Structures are given as C-alpha cells and as structure tokens.
Amino acid sequence: MSDRVSTVARLRSATAADHDAVDAGFGRYDLTDADDYRAFLIAHAKALPAVEAWLTAIPGLATVRSRGTELAADLAALGEDMPAPMTFDVPASAAAGWGAMYVVEGSRLGGVMLSRSVPEGMPSAYLGAKHLSGEWRALLTAIDGETADEAWVEQAIVGAKAAFDLYRRAPT
C-alpha cells in the first residue's frame, strides 16, 4: 500500500485558503436580494467564461460542460448583459488545466447549495446547473489518474490557485 497523497488531496490542501477567500468574498451577497443576486451573477460572469475559454483550448482535458449559457440567461432575465470577461492569463498546460477545472467544476457543487437561497421567481439556471450523475467523481478520478510527478502537481496547483484568484477578484 502506498503512502502517496492523491493529487486531488494535494490540490484541496494547497488551495484551502484560496477557496476560503473566494467563499468569504461571495458570502457577502444576499442571494434573496435582487440587486445583490445580480451583482453576484455579474461577478461570476466576469470569471467563468474566461476560465472556460482557456480550458477549451487545452488538448487532452475532459470536455468542459459550459454553464455560460445558463449564466447569460439568468442575467438577461434580470435585465443585464454579460460583462466583458476578465483575463485568465496562466500558461496553458494539461496540469494547470486540470487544476483550473477542479475549481470550476467544484463551484457547481457550491452553486447547487446556493441555488436553494434564490427565491422563487428569480432565475437560477446557472446555480442549479448541477453535475450529471457521477460527473464530479469521474473528474476527481481523472485528475488522480494522471501520471503526476512533482512538477505536474505544482502546475495543477498553479492552475487551481489562478482560477480561485480570478473568482476572488471578480466581485465589484
């Protein structure tokens, strides 16, 4: 039996403070308030499309099941256009891609929980866009299944931290 710590466990540990900072930044929004909810979605709309576009350009990653359409529809229902995306300027590599995908797909889990706070009658397609059955587990298995030396894991952590940082900087 190996004492090797999984790549996912290392990602989770290395980015815990980043995750907490993003949660704290977005936690200030009251999703039951239309103005706060609109601002919350606008912040996500600045970050998510940038990361998703970057991910789709990296060969060898799992297919990104975009939530941009749902996000745009929710914003449109609130009378808003999609804002210009922020710049996600991270050197593209498969390892960094898996790290960023870990963050983007992990946000689906939190989104489903947050969608319960959105009042009836307000759009919630974006937050309600949950994983397909087994999708999250398959992603974690794929990350852990990569042949990952120390440099690979470090690049995955760089990608994850950069994705968290983009979300951290997105709220206005």
Side-chain angles (χ1 to χ4, degrees), residues 38-66:
R38 183 180 296 106
F40 172 92
L41 291 176
I42 288 169
H44 275 253
K46 290 177 183 176
L48 179 74
V51 180
E52 285 185 346
W54 180 83
L55 285 169
T56 60
I58 298 174
L61 290 184
T63 302
V64 176
R65 201 164 52 83
S66 176

Side-chain angles (χ1 to χ4, degrees), residues 157-170:
I157 291 169
V158 165
K161 284 182 163 289
F164 275 124
D165 185 59
L166 192 70
Y167 276 94
R168 185 190 55 75
R169 292 183 291 115

Side-chain angles (χ1 to χ4, degrees), residues 1-50:
M1 179 164 285
S2 172
D3 288 340
R4 180 181 161 277
V5 177
S6 78
T7 301
V8 169
R10 291 186 64 191
L11 274 171
R12 188 176 295 121
S13 175
T15 62
D18 304 275
H19 191 174
D20 291 346
V22 169
D23 283 351
F26 281 98
R28 68 183 170 96
Y29 293 105
D30 175 0
L31 302 186
T32 65
D33 176 83
D35 290 335
D36 265 15
Y37 183 50
R38 183 180 296 106
F40 172 92
L41 291 176
I42 288 169
H44 275 253
K46 290 177 183 176
L48 179 74

Side-chain angles (χ1 to χ4, degrees), residues 93-166:
S93 71
W98 284 112
M101 189 177 290
Y102 166 79
V103 173
V104 170
E105 288 302 311
S107 75
R108 279 186 198 267
L109 299 173
V112 170
M113 292 174 55
L114 291 174
S115 72
R116 298 176 188 143
S117 302
V118 178
E120 187 77 27
M122 287 181 33
S124 61
Y126 169 65
L127 289 178
K130 64 184 180 179
H131 287 110
L132 302 175
S133 180
E135 193 174 30
W136 175 244
R137 178 64 42 214
L139 174 66
L140 299 182
T141 299
I143 292 170
D144 278 339
E146 288 290 312
T147 304
D149 59 13
E150 195 59 34
W152 194 99
V153 173
E154 287 303 316
Q155 280 301 304
I157 291 169
V158 165
K161 284 182 163 289
F164 275 124
D165 185 59
L166 192 70

